Amino acid sequence: MSRRVAQIVCAVFGVLMFLLFFSGHPTAKAITLAITTQYWQVIAAFALIVGAVSFVRVNVKAIQRRQDIPFRAIGLLGMISMPVLAIGWGIGGSSPFLWVFENIQAPMQSTVFALLAFFVASASLRGFRARSIPAAILLVSAVVMLLSRSWFESTTSSFLLTASDWLRNYPSMAARRAILIGIGLGSLTTSLRLIVGIERTWLGGSR
Amino acid sequence: MDFGTIIAGLLTLAILTFLYRDNPIYKLAEYLLVGVAVGYALVIAWKSAMVDLLFTPLFGQGDWSLLLPLILGLMMFGRFHARTSFISRVPLAVLIGSGAGAAVPAMLGPRILTQVSGSVTPLVGTDGLPNWSGLIVIVGVLSTLAYFFFSREHRGSLGVASKVGTWFLMIFFGTTFGYTVMSRMSTFIGRAEFLLTDFLHLTR
């Protein structure tokens, strides 16, 4: 029963949004704006609260089972401290909330992002072998792109930069366009399948 | 050196210890990052969505049309209990249905038609010479699309086209790989500069 209701709601909102796109009436535009800027944001915010509660539950259960106690505790402390700081001192210019973001979250986030450079490079060292024509093309285009964006480029003529720009602007762009067309067609068909009720995996269990 | 720089430097070093191998110091920093990031997202969502978009217009300005998103949002809390979890399907249905409905025209326009029109350029320039680059783009788009066409076996002319398509795809993957590595490298240089200059004062 609940699956049927959810499916009907999905179809109604899908058809409504589709039809509203073709109307230039101010009311139609206002409804589209309300759904995309308010409904989506508000429901997503409530979903985030559900996710945060789930995060607390999972970690508390793990602590009760005596699994990774110091790590789970520090994760919970970090999660709880941010709302506490925001409620206590606000989130403005020199607030402790912003201090934690700038001195704890941002440096660690960018360092994790930077770490990936080493793992991508080491994986490519193992994976990049010119065993076939496609593999050789991949290797050459990657090497040209890497060298053209490094100190090596400044020591040679501008050939590498010209070659990498050409590779990026024409053959690479052609493949990118084809992939984007494919993504567009795939998204279009998936959206239509969702609206007419063929795609039902998002409904989850059987109740 | 201020306290914030000391904390940021120590946490940066803690994350970098993973280059040696997985260890408790890294794990501690990792859990702290996940916790703080969840808390930060929660606060920002509360302020920008709940307060600014919902509570202030609804209770402050009397915009009762926002009762519906409030009710839909509260229905998400049905997830907290197995018996009531089916209620959360309704707000999900609104999100998915309206997203799918909005995606149909959005995908047709900017995604498909813009890419198709951008791929078709004049093959002969104003000087009467052939536009080789434009030809390469058209061949690349068509052959790559042929590679992703699975309704027929890749033999004969379709096989040749899909093979050429893989070459274009390899160039795309190679250039994207190069760009990704270099962007990560520049981030790493930024972190190394912070450590050496602001934290350790080894360079100016």
Side-chain angles (χ1 to χ4, degrees):
Chain A
M1 177 63 187
S2 74
R3 289 168 70 91
R4 176 70 68 191
V5 171
Q7 243 175 292
I8 291 168
V9 170
C10 178
V12 166
F13 270 85
V15 172
L16 178 75
M17 286 299 283
F18 180 71
L19 293 177
L20 286 174
F21 177 81
F22 296 100
S23 172
H25 196 275
T27 311
K29 287 196 179 297
I31 293 171
T32 308
L33 199 70
I35 290 175
T36 53
T37 59
Q38 289 177 322
Y39 282 47
W40 288 1
Q41 303 267 352
V42 169
I43 295 172
F46 275 101
L48 194 68
I49 294 173
V50 174
V53 172
S54 175
F55 178 85
V56 174
R57 271 184 178 178
V58 167
N59 281 294
V60 168
K61 272 183 189 169
I63 289 172
Q64 283 171 344
R65 286 197 304 267
R66 302 193 171 279
Q67 284 176 345
D68 300 333
I69 293 176
F71 307 121
R72 304 272 183 184
I74 201 99
L76 276 177
L77 186 74
M79 193 245 134
I80 293 163
S81 67
M82 292 302 264
V84 168
L85 291 175
I87 291 166
W89 292 273
I91 59 171
S94 57
S95 62
F97 174 81
L98 212 63
W99 186 92
V100 172
F101 175 75
E102 283 172 357
N103 295 299
I104 293 179
Q105 191 182 339
M108 280 201 287
Q109 245 171 3
S110 58
T111 313
V112 170
F113 189 78
L115 266 187
L116 289 177
F118 292 94
F119 296 110
V120 171
S122 68
S124 65
L125 268 177
R126 278 176 245 151
F128 281 12
R129 296 278 187 276
R131 294 194 192 100
S132 60
I133 294 174
I137 293 171
L138 176 72
L139 182 66
V140 169
S141 58
V143 168
V144 167
M145 189 54 70
L146 283 171
L147 291 181
S148 70
R149 261 68 184 168
S150 64
W151 64 271
F152 186 78
E153 211 286 321
S154 59
T155 61
T156 61
S157 66
S158 61
F159 170 75
L160 274 175
L161 200 61
T162 313
S164 73
D165 282 348
W166 185 84
L167 278 176
R168 205 162 50 86
N169 291 336
Y170 297 105
S172 174
M173 177 56 75
R176 183 189 293 270
R177 281 190 194 285
I179 289 169
L180 285 174
I181 291 168
I183 291 171
L185 290 170
S187 307
L188 193 70
T189 48
T190 307
S191 299
L192 290 173
R193 283 166 62 89
L194 281 165
I195 293 169
V196 298
I198 298 170
E199 179 65 56
R200 276 173 284 191
T201 46
W202 63 274
L203 287 164
S206 57
R207 275 178 67 92
Chain B
M1 193 180 350
D2 69 312
F3 185 60
T5 309
I6 295 171
I7 295 291
L10 290 174
L11 288 172
T12 302
L13 285 173
I15 296 284
L16 287 176
T17 57
F18 191 71
L19 284 174
Y20 172 59
R21 68 176 185 191
D22 198 4
N23 63 79
I25 294 170
Y26 169 77
K27 221 171 165 184
L28 211 64
E30 186 190 29
Y31 272 79
L32 179 63
L33 172 60
V34 172
V36 168
V38 171
Y40 179 81
L42 200 62
V43 170
I44 296 299
W46 179 265
K47 172 77 179 72
S48 62
M50 301 293 227
V51 176
D52 294 350
L53 290 175
L54 186 67
F55 295 141
T56 306
L58 179 62
F59 300 116
Q61 296 151 15
D63 184 358
W64 299 109
S65 67
L66 290 169
L67 265 178
L68 185 58
L70 175 64
I71 293 166
L72 287 169
L74 288 172
M75 287 169 94
M76 285 298 293
F77 292 159
R79 287 256 155 186
F80 290 140
H81 204 280
R83 277 189 174 177
T84 55
S85 68
F86 67 92
I87 298 171
S88 66
R89 281 186 186 140
V90 177
L92 278 179
V94 172
L95 268 186
I96 291 169
S98 57
V104 173
M107 286 297 151
L108 269 174
R111 266 289 153 79
I112 301 170
L113 297 178
T114 309
Q115 294 305 325
V116 171
S117 68
S119 309
V120 183
T121 51
L123 294 180
V124 179
T126 48
D127 51 2
L129 293 171
N131 176 12
W132 294 111
S133 300
L135 187 69
I136 283 171
V137 170
I138 290 175
V139 170
V141 170
L142 293 176
S143 59
T144 308
L145 284 173
Y147 175 77
F148 288 114
F149 184 71
F150 298 117
S151 298
R152 252 184 61 195
E153 201 179 341
H154 286 187
R155 278 161 57 175
S157 54
L158 184 64
V160 174
S162 69
K163 198 173 183 180
V164 175
T166 57
W167 298 346
F168 279 93
L169 278 171
M170 289 303 133
I171 294 174
F172 170 69
F173 292 145
T175 52
T176 308
F177 168 81
Y179 249 127
T180 307
V181 170
M182 292 317 283
S183 72
R184 303 291 158 110
M185 272 297 169
S186 70
T187 314
F188 179 74
I189 290 166
R191 296 318 302 156
E193 198 177 1
F194 164 76
L195 281 178
L196 295 174
T197 311
D198 299 335
F199 184 58
L200 298 172
H201 295 288
L202 293 176
T203 57
R204 281 186 184 182

